[in-house]
Each structure stands twice: as structure tokens, then as C-alpha cells.
């Protein structure tokens, strides 16, 4: 090994340590929000998470979890640490990839200057990626993206090793890594076009545009083979074999699939033997590569094995080949049109059957109905505006200024694709990483949230308005990162330099950049109003650009070469490269990536469960209201007496079956329907047909009718078939007051408040299976177990029960209390005060808010929600004459919950707190909080005033809310005779009113 190789290898390991230390110091010590809770839970006990699963990630995560040495509270820490290791390794392989490409610029033996130029290039590029926003975010939590990009990095590095050594074993290695990556995430498959281009350039004497197009066509064929033939159709063929062996030959489940695997392995082995014997080298190589892709893909055996074991977490229950095929195909996520499809204003005109679905029965596979594809009356080429959700439709129209009755044209679709899908959902993320970021708030298109910036005020003002009077919501935000576009400029300079010196490699890197970035945009065809920022999906593209940033060192050195001082040019170029990219990115990005000491997701989950009484049933939806709860129950064993029920998953028969079984300390749920009543393909949706009932119908009687198999209880359709239907939307549940008291649902002293019956209106056009199961639970629970619903979700989640829901913390409890028609309070304004006070004061741990160095947007949502329930309880305690309790609650809240105004919305909570403090005669704290609130509003409004009228009018909601808060504060301070403060508020209100109201 020569001197350069030793230094190069050593530098790669040093970069591994630097990146690893960076990520370790900023790593979240426990569970995070979003999918992390589910991944940790699934990895810890090797369970089955959401489609399409990540079995290899789970297996590796399990190995890291063993480092906890039996301490359940440390499992999350060590699985998080696995991402630190994966990400640090990615940086190392990126460095070695850059140096491999850079070394090709020297045809002869490298001088010392040349050697250190190559190393400096690799260091700058690798460190730039180390501190890039998107990559850093995934590097400190238990997500699949860190391991996925590592596989991409290894594949890309390996193809240049093959190019250098011309040893086809590297191609076999690449095939194996691609196969393994399937068990983590499919993003690595997008490196295939770049790999094929390297192969083409190395094998051809002279590259031509036609040859490049052919190479990319072959790459597309390979991608299709892996994406569909290997990942889906091998499983589908195995399922078809199993169907024949089970249903026709009468054998047990799995025999046909096992035979198919034997036949497939035998066929590949024979072709390998044949090709070797007859010296058909390329056939031999392709079959060996296919075999190794399948070896890697075999990690999916974990999913079917663990599903068959019926683990606690077993989503979709893919315990058979048909189940695994649907699981891999992400059938629960629906279809998105790609090249041809409907417009957002299209109407459904038909549904075309596509293929028969099968489910595993007791002894045979059973049909689960035909899968179908909806047909629409309006279709268009390259549909980009296709979603019919009302909020999406309004977004489309607003984004493109379409009229109410205006149908989108092909040109409109192209405009939405270029401006929103590419511009907002890709280039914005790209520029976050290499130009700068306005703040960490999720952007939906306005000018003050989540935009990219440069930090150069005059440039940013062109797009975002005056930058001289930026408010606290921007400049105090930890995500306010200003790179001044320096990493971007360095990368462009590196791209231009490399293009001039080596066009082939530039095209290879550009191909990786495009296929892991803009090509994903085309394929995903995202609809608007995503629940979170999606930049993590394009990290491979940012990886590719980091290579160009590295070559920016070469560009600077070449520009300085006119000085005729090679050493000085190298040192200057290296230092400039380090300062322009990694240094500024690391310094600016540290605050919003430092999750050390952050426990907000863990604390929130425990507080959520502690909002519930013993043995409760808690209905939740969505990722962040489910996965952290699963984690604390499954991994840390916290409050396992509570059964967490995700309503979205309750539409799956396998999930309902799980709910009918005991789990840890939780008894089975009172679901009385036998499985054949709700098995997939049966009663997936029960339509509403008004049968003319004027009175409410008892819930048990209603359930008996809509689950009946008797034709007399069904509606005959036009084709002669019979179907269950919902005959009324007026529901009733008779209440046994003695049972309610006996189960401690309501204390005996409040027995007179118990209603004789609960009546409500189910305001939907039919019953989906999840609601059917929910109604079954309510009808048969008989108040034996407390029932809770999560807060802050769409109203239809509560199936019309709103007036019987009362806050007891983060959750709403179903209570059969008489309702006062004069009580106009919303469910989020009503509290079961004594129980909620005990929960907040004695069971909630809120100290994690203050320990965290950085509160991300989701944690700030929790802070806002905590203030909301605290203020609501204090308000109700005061109305109930329990001022001492209310005062104690306010003291605890102000001590433990951050009072920072992150946005104008937070001033609503500040006002409510001030209002409660004044009511409790805590004048000093009320005045202090009032002064800080009006100061914050003043700064925010001064920024809006600094904009030109056309722009500040876009802030109408913030203006209206601010004026409203000031108006209410003026009344409060006048009522409490706070003359000086009141005068200040009146003057501020008048000044703003004169500016904004004409």
C-alpha cells in the first residue's frame, strides 16, 4: 500500500470519527416523534410495523438494542446510536468516493501537492454532507434513512472501485448491497442508473448520446426488474403456487410457496451452471447478481415469520404469501396517478375490477373481493392536480389562481409540477441544505414559514419582503440558518470544474443527483398539505451535490494557480472550502440539530397515558398520536393496562382480531362480532339509506341489523344482490346509572347527573369498518372500562359523541352525563375537573420541556397543547369556585411549561393565562406576562408594517388575531385598574388600527 493510500484510508476513518462524534453529541437520547417510536418498538421485539416494513433495519436495530443490557429505558438510546454509526459510515464512504473520482484527474503518479489536493477535496465534500440539514436530522434518531443512504453510498463507492480494478466481483457485491437495501428502504435502487452509466463509460471506447440513452434504458430495465419482478412478482408467484397447493391439492399453507422458492433457486442455479460450462460470461454474471439480489431480499422472511408468531405489533398480519404481496405493494396507501389520470374536479363514473384478492382462511384461501380501479369522467396526461379532498382542491385553486368552476388544463398541471412539486417540494429543500433556511416551521406556501434564504437581506427581500425588521418568530427560531449561499456557490463551481475535466463522471454524479431527487418528485406525484416536510426523501440527491462541493476545492485551487504558488493555492483553497461549506453549515445548524437532553416525545407519551384511568381504552389516530404510546408500552412497559387503539388500523380485520386478545395487562376489548362478520372484503363500508326512523335507535339493536346475514335485514341492489345498510344516523345508548357508579365512571355523589340514555347523531354517509368496531365496543363495554379519545383531530373521529366528551388531560373521556342545552362549550372546553387536576398536578411530568436544548415544531405543538389544557382546566376550576386549585395549577404551569411565543398563535394561550392570573388576583405575574406579550405582538406587527401593502395584506389572519388579543388585554387591564399598562396597550392598538383598518 503506497503512502497516498495509507493517508487516504486514515483520513476516511478520521472523518468517520468526526461525523460520529458530531451525531453522538446531538443525538436524541430516547424516542422521537413520527415513525421512530414504531421502528424502535418493532426492532426491540422484532415485530411487524407499517407497510412495506424494514426487516433488515429491524434486525440490526435489535443487535444495537442488546447494548442496553436489559435496561428498557436505554433501548431507544442504542437504536438511535445505530443511526449515528450508519451516518458516520456514510460520510466515510462519501469521502472515499470523492477521492476515487478526484484521483482520476491525474493520469500520472500524484505529487505531494496533488495528493493533498485530492484529500482536501474529499474532506470538504464529506464534511459538507455531514453538516447538511436533511442528513443531520436523520442521523440522530431511529429512522431508516440513515441506513438507506449508507447503502446508496456503498453502492456508489463500489462502482468506482470496480471501474478502478475492473474486477466483476465488485458488481456482485453491488447486487448484494442493493438486495440488502430493499430490506431498509427502496431509495438505494435509484443509484442503479448511475452504476450502469459508469459501466457503460468504462466498457465503451467512445461514449455517444445514443449510447448513453441505451445505457439509461438498460438501467431502467434493471430497476423495473428489481422493483417489480424481484420485490413483488416473486412473492406473487409464490402466492399463486400456494393457492394451487392449498385450494386444489388440499395441502397446508406454505407448501406451494416453499416449492416455488425451491424451483426458483434451482432454476437460477442451473442457469449459473449452464452459463459457466458454456462460457457465457454475461449470462453467468447477471444470474449471479440476481441471486445475490435475492439473497439480500431474503430479509423479508423476517416479516412473514414474525407475523405468523402474532407479535403484539403486527400491522396487516402478512403471515402468508398473499398478505406479504399486499404488504410489499403498500395497498393500504392507495394509488396515485402518474402518466395519465383524473383531475381534481373529476367525478367517479365507474369502478373497473382488476384482480381477485385472497385472504387466508381457516383451511383454505378465501376470496376477499375484486380489487378495483376507479374510473373518472375527466382525465389528463401527466396529472399533477388529482386529489379530490376539499382542502387539496382549495389549495390547487389558490396556488394557481383558478376560478371556482375552472377545470385544470395540461398547462396548469405543468405549472403546478414546476412551481409546487419541483419548486416548493424539492428545490426549497435543496436550498435549505446549501443556501440557508428561514426557520423550522413547516411551510405551506406563505412568506414567513419554512422558506429557503441566503441570509443576504437584499436578495431575500425580493422573494420574502423586507428583511430589515425581521420578527422574533424568525430570528429567534433555532432553524434560522444563514449560509449566504456559499455551499451552493462552491458546489456549482465544483460542478463546472469537473465538467471541464471529466464529463463522464460529471454525468454519472448528475444522474445520481437527478434520479434521487427530481425523479422521485415525478414518481411520488405528491398532493399538497403534507403532514410534515418531506426533505428526507431526497437525501441521496443532496449526497450527490456534496461531491460537487468537494470539487469546489479544485475550482478554487485552479483559479489561484495564476499566483504560481502551488502550496499556497492548495492551503488557501482547502481553507476556503472548509469555511464556505462545512464550517458555516456546522455552526449555523448546530442549534436546531442538537437534540441532546430532549425527552419531549417520551414525556408526552407518558403524560398522555397518565391522562387515562386504569384499564382504559384509548382511541387514537395518526403517527404522532400512536407510535410514542406504543414505544412506552411495548419497550418500557409503562401503563400496559391501557389498550391503545388506532382507529385507522381498526379497518383491518387482523388488527380487530388483535384487539380481541389480551395484551400485557390489558384485557381483550369487548368486540362481540365474530371474525366472519368483518373479515376483509366483508362490510368494508355500509352505506346509509334513510329508512324513515324518527327516534333514536338503540346501538345494540342497530348493530344486530347492520351485521346480520339475513336478507330481511339487507337492502336489495339493482343487480339483485343484497347488502347491509345503515337505516338511521340517530343512535342511542341506554345507561344503567348503578353500573356507571359501580365501575367508578362517575362518583356516587354525582349519580343524579348521569343521563338515562346517551343520544347522538352519526354524521357520515355510511359506516366504515373501523367505526363498526368502535360502535361494537361502545355497545358492549357497559362502562366496565373507561373510554377515551385523543384530542385535536377531525370532528368525524368522535362519531358524533362530542357532547359526552370531557378533558381529563391530553385525552377526552366519554362520560354519560346529562347535557345542558344552554352550555355552548366545545368538548375541548369541558373538563372532568377533579380527575384532570389530579392528573396534571400529580401524574404529569413536564420538566422535559426545560431540559431540552431545542424544541422542534412537534415538541412546540405539545407545548401549545399543554398550555391549552392547563388554561382550560384553570378557567373551569375558577368557574367552579376552586380558586386554590386553579392557583396551584398556574404556578406549576408557569414553572414547568415554556412561555416562549413561537408564533402569533401562542399569544392566544398567553392571553388565556393572563386572564386566569388576573382572575386569581396574581397581578404581578399577569402584568409581566402582559408586557412580554404586547412586546412580542408589537415586533411582529412592525415587521408586517414594513412590508408593502400588497404583501402585508397576506398576513390578514395574524393582523386580525393580534388586534383581537390587544383589544381583550386592554379590557382586562382596565378592569384591573392597571393604568400604565392599559395606556400602553391602547396606544399600541390605535397605532396598529390606523395602519391596518381603513
Amino acid at each position: 500500500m503506497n503512502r497516498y493510500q495509507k493517508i487516504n484510508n486514515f483520513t476516511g476513518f478520521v472523518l468517520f470519527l468526526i461525523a460520529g462524534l458530531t451525531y453522538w453529541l446531538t443525538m436524541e437520547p430516547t424516542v422521537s416523534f413520527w415513525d421512530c417510536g414504531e421502528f424502535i418498538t418493532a426492532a426491540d421485539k422484532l415485530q411487524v410495523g407499517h407497510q412495506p416494513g424494514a426487516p433488515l433495519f429491524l434486525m440490526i436495530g435489535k443487535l444495537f438494542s442488546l447494548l442496553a443490557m436489559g435496561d428498557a429505558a436505554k433501548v431507544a438510546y442504542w437504536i438511535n446510536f445505530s443511526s449515528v454509526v450508519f451516518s458516520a459510515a456514510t460520510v466515510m464512504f462519501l469521502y472515499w468516493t470523492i477521492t476515487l473520482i478526484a484521483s482520476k484527474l491525474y493520469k500520472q503518479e500524484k505529487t505531494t501537492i496533488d495528493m493533498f489536493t485530492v484529500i482536501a477535496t474529499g474532506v470538504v465534500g464529506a464534511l459538507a454532507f455531514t453538516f447538511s440539514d436533511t442528513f443531520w436530522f436523520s442521523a440522530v434518531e431511529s429512522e431508516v434513512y440513515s441506513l438507506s443512504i449508507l447503502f446508496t453510498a456503498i453502492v456508489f463507492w463500489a462502482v468506482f472501485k470496480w471501474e478502478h480494478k475492473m474486477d466483476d466481483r465488485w458488481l456482485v457485491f453491488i447486487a448484494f448491497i442493493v438486495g440488502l437495501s430493499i430490506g431498509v428502504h427502496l431509495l438505494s435502487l435509484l443509484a442503479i442508473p448511475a452504476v450502469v452509466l459508469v459501466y457503460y463509460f468504462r466498457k465503451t471506447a467512445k461514449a455517444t448520446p445514443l449510447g448513453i440513452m441505451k445505457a439509461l434504458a438498460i438501467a431502467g430495465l434493471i430497476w423495473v426488474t428489481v422493483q417489480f419482478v424481484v420485490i413483488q412478482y416473486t412473492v406473487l408467484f409464490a402466492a399463486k403456487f400456494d393457492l394451487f397447493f392449498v385450494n386444489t391439492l388440499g395441502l397446508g399453507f406454505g407448501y406451494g410457496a416453499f416449492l416455488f422458492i425451491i424451483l426458483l433457486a434451482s432454476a437460477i442455479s442451473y442457469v449459473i451452471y449452464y452459463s459457466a460450462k458454456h462460457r457465457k460470461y454475461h449470462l453467468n454474471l447477471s444470474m449471479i447478481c440476481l441471486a445475490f439480489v435475492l439473497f439480500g431480499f431474503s430479509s423479508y422472511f423476517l416479516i412473514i415469520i414474525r407475523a405468523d408468531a402474532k407479535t403484539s405489533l403486527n400491522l396487516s398480519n402478512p403471515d402468508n404469501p398473499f398478505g406479504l404481496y399486499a404488504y410489499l405493494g403498500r395497498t393500504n396507501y392507495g394509488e396515485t396517478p402518474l402518466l395519465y389520470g383524473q383531475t381534481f374536479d373529476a367525478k367517479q363514473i365507474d369502478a373497473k375490477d382488476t384482480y381477485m384478492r385472497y385472504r387466508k382462511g381457516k383451511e383454505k384461501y378465501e376470496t376477499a373481493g375484486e380489487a378495483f380501479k376507479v374510473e373518472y369522467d375527466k382525465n389528463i396526461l401527466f396529472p399533477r392536480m388529482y386529489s379530490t379532498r376539499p382542502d387539496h382542491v382549495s389549495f390547487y385553486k389558490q396556488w394557481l389562481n383558478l376560478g371556482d368552476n375552472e377545470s385544470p388544463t395540461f398547462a396548469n398541471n405543468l405549472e403546478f409540477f414546476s412551481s409546487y412539486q419541483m419548486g416548493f417540494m424539492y428545490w426549497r429543500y435543496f436550498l435549505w441544505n446549501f443556501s440557508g433556511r428561514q426557520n423550522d416551521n413547516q411551510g405551506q406556501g406563505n412568506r414567513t414559514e419554512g422558506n429557503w434564504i441566503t441570509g443576504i437581506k437584499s436578495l431575500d427581500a425580493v422573494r420574502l419582503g423586507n428583511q430589515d425588521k425581521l420578527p422574533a418568530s424568525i430570528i429567534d427560531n433555532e432553524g434560522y440558518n444563514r449560509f449566504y449561499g456559499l455551499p451552493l456557490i462552491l458546489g456549482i463551481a465544483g460542478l463546472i470544474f469537473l465538467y471541464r475535466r471529466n464529463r463522464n463522471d460529471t454525468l454519472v454524479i448528475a444522474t445520481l443527483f437527478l434520479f434521487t431527487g427530481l425523479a422521485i418528485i415525478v414518481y411520488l406525484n405528491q398532493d399538497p398539505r403534507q403532514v410534515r416536510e418531506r426533505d428526507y426523501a431526497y437525501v441521496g440527491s443532496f449526497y450527490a451535490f456534496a461531491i460537487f462541493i468537494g470539487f469546489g476545492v479544485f475550482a478554487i485551487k485552479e483559479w489561484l494557480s495564476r499566483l504560481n504558488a502551488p502550496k499556497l493555492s492548495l492551503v488557501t483553497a482547502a481553507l476556503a472550502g472548509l469555511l464556505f461549506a462545512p464550517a458555516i453549515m456546522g455552526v449555523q445548524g448546530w442549534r436546531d440539530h442538537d437534540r441532546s437532553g430532549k425527552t419531549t416525545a417520551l414525556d408526552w407519551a407518558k403524560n398522555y397515558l397518565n391522562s387515562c384511568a386504569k384499564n382504559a381504552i384509548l382511541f387514537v389516530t395518526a403517527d404522532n398520536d400512536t407510535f410514542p404510546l406504543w414505544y412506552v408500552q411495548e419497550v418500557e412497559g409503562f401503563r400496559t393496562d391501557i389498550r391503545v387503539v388506532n382507529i385507522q388500523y381498526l379497518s383491518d380485520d387482523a388488527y380487530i382480531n388483535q384487539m380481541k386478545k389480551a395484551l400485557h395487562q390489558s384485557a381483550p376489548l369487548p368486540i362481540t362480532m365474530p371474525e366472519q362478520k368483518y373479515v376483509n372484503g366483508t362490510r368494508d363500508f355500509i352505506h346509509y339509506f334513510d329508512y324513515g326512523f324518527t327516534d333514536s335507535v338503540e346501538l345494540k339493536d342497530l348493530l344486530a341489523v347492520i351485521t346480520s346475514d339475513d336478507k330481511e335485514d339487507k337492502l336489495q341492489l339493482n343487480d339483485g344482490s343484497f347488502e347491509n345498510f345503515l337505516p338511521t344516523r340517530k343512535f342511542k345508548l341506554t345507561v344503567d346509572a348503578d353500573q356507571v357508579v359501580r365501575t367508578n365512571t362517575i362518583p356516587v355523589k354525582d349519580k343524579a347527573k348521569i343521563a338515562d340514555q346517551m343520544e347522538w347523531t352519526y354524521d357520515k354517509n355510511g359506516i366504515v369498518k373501523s367505526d363498526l368496531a368502535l360502535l361494537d365496543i361502545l355497545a358492549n363495554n357497559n362502562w366496565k372500562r373507561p373510554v377515551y379519545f385523543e384530542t385535536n383531530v377531525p370532528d368525524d373521529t368522535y362519531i358524533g359523541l362530542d357532547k359526552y366528551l370531557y378533558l381529563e388531560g391530553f385525552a377526552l373521556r366519554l362520560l354519560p352525563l346529562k347535557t345542558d342545552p344552554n352550555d355552548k362549550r366545545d368538548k375541548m372546553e369541558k373538563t372532568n375537573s377533579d380527575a384532570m387536576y389530579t392528573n396534571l398536578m400529580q401524574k404529569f411530568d413536564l420538566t422535559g420541556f426545560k431540559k431540552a436544548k431545542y424544541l422542534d415544531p412537534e415538541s412546540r405543538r405539545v407545548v401549545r397543547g399543554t398550555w391549552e389544557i392547563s388554561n382550560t382546566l384553570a378557567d373551569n376550576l375558577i368557574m367552579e369556585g376552586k380558586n386554590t386549585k386553579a392557583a396551584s395549577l398556574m404556578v406549576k404551569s408557569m414553572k414547568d411549561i415554556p412561555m416562549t411565543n413561537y408564533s402569533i398563535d401562542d399569544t392566544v394561550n398567553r392571553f388565556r393565562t393572563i386572564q386566569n392570573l388576573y382572575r386569581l388576583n396574581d397581578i404581578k405575574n399577569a402584568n409581566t406576562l402582559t408586557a412580554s406579550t404586547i412586546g412580542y405582538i408589537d415586533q411582529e406587527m412592525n415587521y408586517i408594517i414594513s412590508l408593502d401593502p400588497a404583501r402585508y395584506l397576506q398576513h390578514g389572519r395574524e393582523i386580525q388575531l393580534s388586534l383581537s388579543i390587544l383589544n381583550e388585554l386592554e379590557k382586562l387591564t382596565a378592569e384591573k385598574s392597571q393604568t400604565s399598562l392599559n395606556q400602553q396597550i391602547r396606544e399600541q392598538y390605535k397605532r396598529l388600527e390606523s395602519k391596518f383598518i381603513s
Side-chain angles (χ1 to χ4, degrees), residues 643-833:
R643 181 61 67 95
V644 175
V645 185
N646 186 295
I647 296 176
Q648 293 162 312
Y649 296 138
L650 204 56
S651 61
D652 181 58
D653 61 355
Y655 190 74
I656 297 176
N657 290 339
Q658 284 182 278
M659 296 298 105
K660 292 169 71 174
K661 298 177 181 178
L663 178 64
H664 306 306
Q665 296 179 12
S666 170
L669 294 188
I671 299 175
T672 61
M673 292 184 295
E675 185 176 359
Q676 64 267 24
K677 298 282 188 181
Y678 59 80
V679 71
N680 284 345
T682 304
R683 296 183 179 89
D684 292 333
F685 186 79
I686 300 173
H687 292 88
Y688 167 68
F689 178 78
D690 189 354
Y691 215 61
F693 288 106
T694 56
D695 296 328
S696 300
V697 177
E698 186 67 39
L699 195 55
K700 281 190 177 181
D701 297 336
L702 184 68
L703 283 169
V705 171
I706 61 179
T707 60
S708 173
D709 292 322
D710 192 334
K711 288 185 178 179
E712 296 297 323
D713 294 322
K714 296 184 177 182
L715 191 69
Q716 187 171 11
L717 304 181
N718 293 333
D719 61 2
S721 63
F722 291 85
E723 184 181 89
N724 287 110
F725 70 102
L726 177 66
T728 181
R729 291 178 178 152
K730 297 177 180 180
F731 297 173
K732 178 175 69 176
L733 184 63
T734 301
V735 179
D736 181 349
D738 291 332
Q739 172 71 357
V740 172
V741 171
R742 193 161 45 244
T743 57
N744 295 317
T745 304
I746 301 294
V748 66
K749 66 181 180 66
D750 293 329
K751 184 176 180 180
K753 298 179 181 179
I754 300 174
D756 295 329
Q757 61 186 24
M758 295 168 56
E759 293 185 281
W760 72 97
T761 300
Y762 179 83
D763 194 17
K764 296 183 183 180
N765 290 323
I767 293 182
V768 293
K769 189 175 295 180
S770 57
D771 285 352
L772 180 64
L774 194 159
L775 292 171
D776 194 356
I777 293 169
L778 295 178
N780 295 287
N781 182 47
N782 198 25
W783 306 105
K784 292 178 182 177
R785 300 179 68 172
V787 174
Y788 291 84
F789 288 83
E790 71 168 306
T791 55
N792 298 319
V793 292
D795 284 340
D796 63 1
T797 304
Y798 306 110
I799 62 170
L801 289 165
D802 302 52
K803 61 184 176 181
Y804 299 107
L805 296 174
Y806 297 82
L807 278 171
E808 287 193 3
F810 283 131
L812 291 156
R813 185 170 183 175
L814 184 68
L815 294 174
L817 296 174
K818 296 175 181 177
T819 57
D820 182 356
N822 296 319
D823 188 351
K824 303 301 181 182
R825 290 180 300 171
D826 180 74
K827 58 184 173 296
M828 291 299 296
E829 298 173 314
K830 297 187 297 182
T831 58
N832 187 14
S833 299

Side-chain angles (χ1 to χ4, degrees), residues 108-120:
Q108 300 175 346
E109 188 69 24
K110 291 186 283 289
T111 65
T112 301
I113 296 293
D114 297 338
M115 178 177 67
F116 282 104
T117 301
V118 169
I119 290 172

Side-chain angles (χ1 to χ4, degrees), residues 468-500:
D468 290 328
K469 294 184 178 181
L470 291 175
S473 58
I474 292 178
I475 60 176
D476 290 344
N477 186 284
E478 289 88 348
Y480 182 45
N481 298 329
R482 291 149 294 165
F483 305 151
Y484 306 102
L486 294 175
L488 175 66
I489 295 169
L490 191 64
I492 294 172
L495 186 158
I496 294 171
F497 169 83
L498 188 60
Y499 180 77
R500 290 173 175 172

Side-chain angles (χ1 to χ4, degrees), residues 491-708:
I492 294 172
L495 186 158
I496 294 171
F497 169 83
L498 188 60
Y499 180 77
R500 290 173 175 172
R501 300 289 294 274
N502 188 334
R503 294 189 178 185
N504 288 352
D505 282 351
T506 305
L507 183 58
V508 168
I509 300 168
T511 299
L512 180 67
F513 176 83
L514 292 172
F515 275 85
T516 55
L518 296 175
I520 298 177
I521 291 291
V522 175
Y523 181 75
L524 291 180
N525 194 8
Q526 287 176 330
D527 50 32
R529 300 195 183 280
Q530 294 288 309
V531 296
R532 63 180 295 194
E533 299 286 15
R534 301 297 188 183
D535 55 305
Y536 55 81
Y538 316 113
V539 66
S541 184
F542 309 151
Y543 172 96
F545 190 77
I547 298 175
F548 291 133
I549 289 178
F551 278 95
V553 173
F554 264 104
I556 296 173
K557 181 174 176 292
E558 182 180 59
W559 183 73
L560 294 173
S561 63
R562 66 189 69 179
L563 300 176
N564 199 24
K567 290 184 179 180
L568 179 61
S569 298
L570 170 59
V571 171
T572 304
L575 288 175
L578 288 170
L579 290 173
F580 289 176
I584 193 171
M585 293 166 72
V587 170
Q588 287 283 309
W590 192 277
R591 288 193 310 162
D592 58 314
H593 292 92
D594 186 3
R595 302 199 215 172
S596 58
K598 181 170 169 285
T599 61
T600 49
L602 175 69
D603 297 340
W604 173 86
K606 291 184 176 181
N607 291 336
Y608 214 118
L609 293 178
N610 275 336
S611 301
C612 303
K614 188 174 176 60
N615 299 321
I617 301 169
L618 172 59
F619 292 104
V620 298
T621 62
D623 298 355
N624 279 340
D625 292 317
T626 306
F627 298 157
L629 303 182
W630 283 351
Y631 164 79
V632 295
Q633 287 191 316
E634 287 288 315
V635 179
E636 298 198 9
F638 184 84
R639 292 298 308 270
T640 58
D641 59 296
I642 298 172
R643 181 61 67 95
V644 175
V645 185
N646 186 295
I647 296 176
Q648 293 162 312
Y649 296 138
L650 204 56
S651 61
D652 181 58
D653 61 355
Y655 190 74
I656 297 176
N657 290 339
Q658 284 182 278
M659 296 298 105
K660 292 169 71 174
K661 298 177 181 178
L663 178 64
H664 306 306
Q665 296 179 12
S666 170
L669 294 188
I671 299 175
T672 61
M673 292 184 295
E675 185 176 359
Q676 64 267 24
K677 298 282 188 181
Y678 59 80
V679 71
N680 284 345
T682 304
R683 296 183 179 89
D684 292 333
F685 186 79
I686 300 173
H687 292 88
Y688 167 68
F689 178 78
D690 189 354
Y691 215 61
F693 288 106
T694 56
D695 296 328
S696 300
V697 177
E698 186 67 39
L699 195 55
K700 281 190 177 181
D701 297 336
L702 184 68
L703 283 169
V705 171
I706 61 179
T707 60
S708 173

Side-chain angles (χ1 to χ4, degrees), residues 166 188 228 248 299 309 401 580 751 877-878 908:
M166 287 300 290
S188 298
F228 296 103
T248 303
S299 65
N401 294 318
F580 289 176
K751 184 176 180 180
L877 286 170
I878 293 170
V908 176

Side-chain angles (χ1 to χ4, degrees), residues 407-469:
S407 186
T409 64
F410 179 68
N412 292 143
N413 275 271
L414 288 181
E415 184 181 356
F416 186 77
F417 170 67
S418 62
S419 63
Y420 179 78
Q421 292 186 332
M422 285 180 61
F424 194 74
M425 295 301 289
Y426 175 76
W427 288 116
R428 178 171 64 103
Y429 296 144
F430 173 81
L431 292 165
W432 274 4
N433 284 269
F434 304 114
S435 178
R437 185 174 180 179
Q438 185 182 42
N439 50 44
D440 64 2
N441 296 324
Q442 182 173 355
Q444 295 290 358
N446 61 49
R447 299 180 185 276
T448 57
E449 292 182 327
N451 295 292
W452 68 271
I453 60 171
T454 63
I456 303 171
K457 293 184 176 181
S458 58
L459 291 180
D460 296 333
V462 176
R463 294 179 302 108
L464 304 175
N466 185 10
Q467 302 290 291
D468 290 328
K469 294 184 178 181

Side-chain angles (χ1 to χ4, degrees), residues 301-358:
F301 278 119
L302 174 78
I303 297 296
I304 200 167
I305 291 169
R306 296 303 289 162
D308 193 57
K310 300 298 178 277
T311 56
S312 301
L313 179 61
N314 182 20
L315 300 183
S316 302
N317 187 34
D319 63 351
N320 63 88
F322 281 107
L324 184 62
Y325 173 69
Y327 187 80
L328 286 165
R330 294 168 61 92
T331 54
N332 285 357
Y333 291 84
E335 291 187 3
T336 300
L338 186 59
L339 298 179
Y340 184 76
Q342 71 274 14
T343 59
F344 65 74
D345 59 342
K347 306 297 181 184
Q348 180 179 338
I349 56 174
D350 199 3
K352 183 179 181 181
D353 293 338
T354 52
Y355 63 89
M356 180 62 68
R357 297 179 299 160
Y358 291 92

Side-chain angles (χ1 to χ4, degrees), residues 952-953 963 992-998:
Y952 76 60
L953 289 176
L963 291 173
L992 295 178
E993 185 181 41
S994 65
K995 180 65 179 179
F996 295 127
I997 300 177
S998 56

